[in-house]
Amino acid sequence: DESKHHTITIPSFLSDDESDISGTYPSLLHKIHVLPFLEPEESDRMLKIARAYAEASSSWDQQDSTRHVSYQTVDFAVEESVDMSQYLQDISFQERIFGLLSEEYDVDVEDLSF
């Protein structure tokens, strides 16, 4: 739905006339796109999977200083959860997100990876 697609340009105060950036401002990389990506049911399912994994592994009960040396967080890597990894494959997450990024930032899908 285009009405839910918002684009934010950073920094917003620059213009072509006052920019020290070579080329035209703003470039595609100066834009942040906020738009719906997952269906509500997909988001709900991912949250249920994440909660179940976090409860079983206690990953949301302790800070993780191993993955984030500069700052501790309370999270887990998606690939640690077999169920989450499988669900993302089932809904073609990688293909969908790469397609969207390719479209919004004019980058070839073949050049994208995690």
Side-chain angles (χ1 to χ4, degrees):
D1 183 357
E2 260 324 289
S3 67
K4 294 181 180 179
H5 183 169
H6 304 283
T7 302
I8 302 162
T9 304
I10 55 171
S12 59
F13 54 84
L14 285 179
S15 69
D16 277 338
D17 298 336
E18 56 192 1
S19 173
D20 290 336
I21 302 168
S22 62
T24 49
Y25 177 82
S27 76
L28 291 174
L29 296 178
H30 286 96
K31 296 182 179 187
I32 299 171
H33 298 277
V34 181
L35 61 157
F37 176 67
L38 296 172
E39 297 296 325
E41 301 80 29
E42 293 171 327
S43 297
D44 290 344
R45 179 75 181 124
M46 288 180 61
L47 182 57
K48 286 178 185 170
I49 293 169
R51 285 181 172 155
Y53 178 80
E55 185 175 330
S57 67
S58 300
S59 60
W60 287 352
D61 297 333
Q62 53 197 343
Q63 292 186 335
D64 181 359
S65 59
T66 323
R67 289 184 51 233
H68 305 289
V69 177
S70 298
Y71 56 94
Q72 294 183 353
T73 64
V74 179
D75 64 358
F76 63 87
V78 170
E79 60 270 11
E80 290 177 10
S81 169
V82 173
D83 292 339
M84 180 70 74
S85 295
Q86 184 60 55
Y87 184 69
L88 291 172
Q89 286 180 359
D90 292 347
I91 64 170
S92 303
F93 180 85
Q94 181 171 322
E95 293 81 9
R96 289 167 55 191
I97 193 69
F98 284 179
L100 186 61
L101 290 170
S102 172
E103 184 179 308
E104 295 300 330
Y105 291 101
D106 195 28
V107 175
D108 192 316
V109 172
E110 300 301 317
D111 293 332
L112 297 172
S113 66
F114 288 114

